[in-house]
């Protein structure tokens, strides 16, 4: 993943609430799947394996975040396991049909979680994060972002 993408995901995470964070994890998985496909088409097998390994780590994070006190978690768990197994088969076979099927499952789940996140108006998880405002100024070729200085110190309070 490119450094610019990492910065974008980091910024999104710092401004996100719980349900938004799940959507971001899906977006990260999609970025690694795209990178894996690009590496495979460029005959970079090591890059392909590494990208799929990171995508699987994202699915692992989704699995760890399940709360089995809710019935929907019992339905999501086998889907996540299916996706992980499809990614593992893709590494071995170097064929994208399994990965494409897994990606379809993830896209459907992403859409559902995105709709749920739109209805969640809870506060961001990171309380002392810097506020980012986009669209206040425009550069010649890009949108500039402004950072709002916090009124108190950022970071951990002891």
């Amino acid at each position: 993943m490119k450094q610019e993408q990492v910065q974008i995901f980091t910024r999104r995470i710092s401004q996100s609430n719980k349900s938004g964070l799940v959507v971001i994890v899906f977006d990260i998985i999609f970025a690694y799947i795209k990178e894996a496909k690009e590496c495979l088409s460029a005959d970079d097998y090591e890059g392909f394996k590494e990208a799929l390994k990171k995508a699987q780590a994202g699915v692992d994070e989704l699995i760890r975040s399940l709360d089995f006190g809710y019935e929907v978690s019992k339905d999501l768990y086998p889907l996540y396991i299916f996706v992980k197994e499809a990614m593992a088969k893709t590494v071995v076979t170097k064929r994208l049909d399994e990965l494409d099927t897994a990606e379809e499952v993830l896209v459907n789940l992403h859409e559902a979680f995105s709709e749920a996140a739109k209805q969640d108006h809870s506060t961001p998880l990171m309380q002392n994060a810097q506020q980012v405002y986009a669209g206040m100024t425009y550069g010649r070729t890009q949108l500039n972002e402004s950072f709002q200085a916090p009124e108190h110190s950022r970071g951990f309070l002891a």
Side-chain angles (χ1 to χ4, degrees):
M1 187 179 307
K2 295 178 182 171
Q3 184 62 29
E4 182 179 314
Q5 283 181 303
V6 171
Q7 289 175 342
I8 290 169
F9 285 130
T10 302
R11 188 175 307 117
R12 286 178 60 196
I13 289 168
S14 71
Q15 304 296 314
S16 179
N17 58 15
K18 288 180 183 180
S19 58
L21 195 57
V22 174
V23 174
I24 294 169
V25 172
F26 276 103
D27 292 339
I28 292 171
I29 293 168
F30 292 137
Y32 281 123
I33 289 173
K34 180 181 177 188
E35 183 178 327
K37 289 179 178 181
E38 290 170 356
C39 287
L40 186 62
S41 67
D43 292 328
D44 178 11
Y45 186 63
E46 290 303 315
F48 171 73
K49 286 192 323 186
E50 186 63 28
L52 277 183
K53 181 179 175 184
K54 290 178 180 180
Q56 285 177 318
V59 176
D60 285 337
E61 187 59 37
L62 292 173
I63 291 171
R64 282 191 296 274
S65 69
L66 290 175
D67 181 358
F68 287 99
Y70 296 100
E71 193 65 33
V72 70
S73 294
K74 296 172 186 169
D75 296 330
L76 290 172
Y77 182 76
L79 292 173
Y80 292 153
I81 295 300
F82 169 78
V83 168
K84 277 192 66 170
E85 289 175 355
M87 289 179 183
K89 288 177 187 176
T90 301
V91 170
V92 173
T93 63
K94 299 180 190 175
R95 294 180 53 213
L96 294 178
D97 53 339
E98 293 276 345
L99 185 60
D100 290 338
T101 304
E103 191 173 18
E104 286 178 31
V105 171
L106 289 172
V107 165
N108 291 334
L109 292 173
H110 178 265
E111 289 172 3
F113 277 106
S114 293
E115 287 300 315
K118 288 177 186 175
Q119 298 172 13
D120 184 3
H121 301 292
S122 61
T123 60
L125 292 172
M126 297 178 75
Q127 297 298 321
N128 288 336
Q130 204 170 23
Q131 294 297 313
V132 179
Y133 298 96
M136 295 179 75
T137 60
Y138 294 88
R140 186 172 201 179
T141 60
Q142 66 186 20
L143 174 70
N144 293 329
E145 294 179 340
S146 300
F147 295 94
Q148 177 72 31
E151 298 190 16
H152 58 283
S153 65
R154 289 182 24 210
F156 294 107
L157 300 176

